Amino acid sequence: MRIGVDATSRQNNRGYGRHARALLNALIPLDYGNRYTLFVDSVDAGDKMPPEAEVRLVSTDAPTAVATAANGHRSAMDMLRMSRAMSDSSFDLLLFPTVYSYVPVISRAKKIVMIHDVIAETYPQLTLPSFTARMFWKSKVALGRWQADAIVTVSDYSRKGILEHFKTSPDRVFVVGEASDPVFRVLPAPRPTTRLLDLGINGTGRTVVYVGGFSPHKNLESLVAAFAKVVEHPSFSDAKLVMVGEYEKEVFHSCYAGIKRQTAELGIASRVVFTGYLPDEELVALLNFASVLALPSLIEGFGLPAIEAAACGCPVIATTASPLPGLLGEGGIFINPASQEELDAALTRVLESENLRQQMRTAGLAAAAELTWEAAARQMIGLIRQVTA
C-alpha cells in the first residue's frame, strides 16, 4: 500500500513539528509493509528523514511553517501546489499529522487527519488575533473534518473536546498518544552547557522552568506573578525562573513583550531568564538540574513539555485542563489554571521541600517511561489498517 504524508510541519520547532518528526520517525520503520512518501515544502524540512521513505519537495513561495502564522495564512497558489502533489492517484491513503498544515485534496485515497486539540476553538482571541486568521482556521478545520475518513487526536482529553465542540460521531475520532523523545533522560552528572552558562544559568539554587511558546493561553502572566510572590520571602533568595521558547521569530500569537514588561514591573527582571529556543541537548541539561517545570496553561491537548521534564527527573506543576493528571499521577501537582492561589501554593510547596521533589521525581520517571513513540506508532498502524480494510 502507498501512503502519502504531509510532512510540511516537520520544520516547525514547536509541538506540531516535534510531534510530526517523532511519530513519522517511529512509524515508517515499523510499518515496513507499506511504502511512504513524505511531502515537504522546504529543503530544511528534509533533515533526518526516515531513510525508508521517499521524500518529495514541493516548490512553494513560503514554507508552511513560516506562512501559517497567527496573523496570516498560506497563499492560494502554495496550497494548490501542495494539493496537486498530494492528489496523486497512486496513493491508497493520505496522512495529515496535523490539521495546522492540512490542504484539501482531490483523491479517492482514504484520509487520516490529526486534530491535536481544540485550543483555537476554545480560546480563539488568544490564539488567532485577527478575524481573517480565525476564518481561515475555521475553514481549514471544517474541510479537514469533512474529508477525513478518520480523525486522530493525541489524548482522551482532546478527544472529548473534539466530540463536544464539533459534535462529531464518536466512531470517527481515535487517539494516538505521544511520548518524550529518548534524548530526554536522566544524565549521570548533569551540568550547565556553555550556552546556559552564558545566559547566567549555572545550575546552583532552585530553578523554575517553563518550556513552550508565549501564546496568551499559556497563562504565563499567572506564572510570573506566582514566582514574584514566592521570591518575596527571603528563604527563596536563590530561586530563578527560566522561560524557554522562541520569541524573536515566533509565527504563533505571542505575548512575550507583555511578559517581559511584567517581570520589570514586579522587580524580578534580574531573576528571570528568557533563553529563546533551546536545542534538545541544552534543554535536557536544564531539565536535569531544574527544581520544577511549570505548565499552567488554560488548556493543553497533551502537554508534552511536562512529559519531557518528567523523563529527565524534573517534578511538574501543570494545569488540570489537560490529560496530564492522568498521565503523570504523583509525578505532578495539578492546579486549576484560573486559580492564582493554587499556583502560588503549588510553587511554594515544591520549592521548599526537597523530599517532595524527590518523591515527584521518582513517580514522574515511572510515568514517563510508560509512554513510548513505538506504542504510538503501533496505534497508528492499527488505525491505518482499520481505515483501509
Side-chain angles (χ1 to χ4, degrees):
M1 184 166 62
R2 293 200 61 201
I3 299 175
V5 182
D6 167 26
T8 58
S9 63
R10 282 180 64 100
Q11 190 180 354
N12 183 274
N13 284 327
R14 290 277 297 277
Y16 290 141
R18 183 179 289 278
H19 174 271
R21 291 190 296 272
L23 178 62
L24 295 175
N25 289 349
L27 170 66
I28 293 171
L30 274 177
D31 195 16
Y32 50 82
N34 293 320
R35 292 159 54 203
Y36 283 81
T37 298
L38 307 185
F39 290 89
V40 299
D41 57 4
S42 167
V43 291
D44 295 332
D47 185 40
K48 297 182 181 177
M49 289 288 193
E52 301 87 349
E54 174 194 1
V55 179
R56 289 191 195 174
L57 175 63
V58 180
S59 178
T60 58
D61 294 329
T64 299
V66 175
T68 311
N71 59 351
H73 54 83
R74 282 183 286 179
S75 72
M77 186 54 67
D78 280 356
M79 293 180 69
L80 180 60
R81 289 167 181 146
M82 184 59 64
S83 176
R84 281 177 176 169
M86 293 195 68
S87 295
D88 185 332
S89 61
S90 66
F91 291 113
D92 302 289
L93 181 136
L94 297 174
L95 170 62
F96 293 88
T98 168
V99 74
Y100 158 77
S101 58
Y102 165 82
V103 292
V105 288
I106 301 172
S107 169
R108 298 183 66 179
K110 297 292 186 180
K111 300 164 193 72
I112 295 176
V113 178
M114 296 197 71
I115 299 177
H116 286 235
D117 51 59
V118 289
I119 294 173
E121 287 73 22
T122 308
Y123 296 103
Q125 305 285 352
L126 301 184
T127 51
L128 300 163
S130 77
F131 175 79
T132 301
R134 290 195 291 274
M135 289 304 99
F136 269 99
W137 177 263
K138 276 188 170 183
S139 300
K140 179 166 59 176
V141 174
L143 278 168
R145 289 187 291 110
W146 179 71
Q147 284 210 311
D149 293 280
I151 295 169
V152 181
T153 192
V154 293
S155 66
D156 288 324
Y157 179 85
S158 281
R159 182 176 185 270
K160 181 181 177 183
I162 288 170
L163 296 178
E164 290 178 353
H165 186 85
F166 297 119
K167 311 303 179 189
T168 305
S169 173
D171 61 6
R172 293 186 62 228
V173 185
F174 303 85
V175 174
V176 171
E178 294 191 53
S180 62
D181 189 278
V183 72
F184 290 92
R185 67 204 186 282
V186 175
L187 300 176
R191 58 176 60 90
T193 62
T194 301
R195 182 172 179 182
L196 293 177
L197 289 171
D198 288 344
L199 289 165
I201 304 168
N202 58 20
T204 63
R206 286 165 286 186
T207 306
V208 180
V209 175
Y210 164 77
V211 179
F214 286 86
S215 301
H217 77 276
K218 294 294 187 178
N219 199 26
L220 298 180
E221 288 185 359
S222 292
L223 174 58
V224 170
F227 180 77
K229 180 160 187 170
V230 167
V231 297
E232 285 177 355
H233 199 283
S235 62
F236 296 108
S237 61
D238 63 322
K240 217 183 253 307
L241 172 61
V242 178
M243 307 191 81
V244 181
E246 179 61 67
Y247 57 82
E248 292 182 338
K249 299 178 181 177
E250 177 64 281
V251 296
F252 296 115
H253 186 33
S254 174
C255 61
Y256 164 74
I259 297 300
K260 188 169 179 60
R261 186 166 55 249
Q262 182 189 11
T263 65
E265 291 170 351
L266 292 173
I268 57 170
S270 63
R271 304 178 68 167
V272 180
V273 180
F274 296 93
T275 68
Y277 170 74
L278 286 182
D280 286 350
E281 299 76 21
E282 308 273 357
L283 183 55
V284 169
L286 174 61
L287 291 173
N288 263 263
F289 61 75
S291 305
V292 64
L293 176 123
L295 193 67
S297 314
L298 299 179
I299 181 173
E300 287 285 344
F302 190 82
L304 188 56
I307 305 299
E308 292 169 341
C312 292
C314 179
V316 170
I317 295 172
T319 176
T320 53
S322 73
L324 290 169
L327 293 173
L328 286 180
E330 294 183 357
I333 294 176
F334 306 100
I335 54 96
N336 176 353
S339 172
Q340 185 68 51
E341 292 75 17
E342 286 188 29
L343 181 54
D344 295 351
L347 199 55
T348 300
R349 186 180 166 203
V350 173
L351 288 180
E352 70 183 1
S353 174
E354 177 85 41
N355 287 337
L356 176 60
R357 293 199 297 275
Q358 187 56 49
Q359 292 168 15
M360 293 173 70
R361 169 189 169 89
T362 302
L365 282 168
E370 293 292 315
L371 304 170
T372 68
W373 279 111
E374 179 180 342
R378 294 194 183 281
Q379 287 177 313
M380 182 61 80
I381 291 170
L383 178 58
I384 288 171
R385 290 173 179 169
Q386 181 177 336
V387 168
T388 56

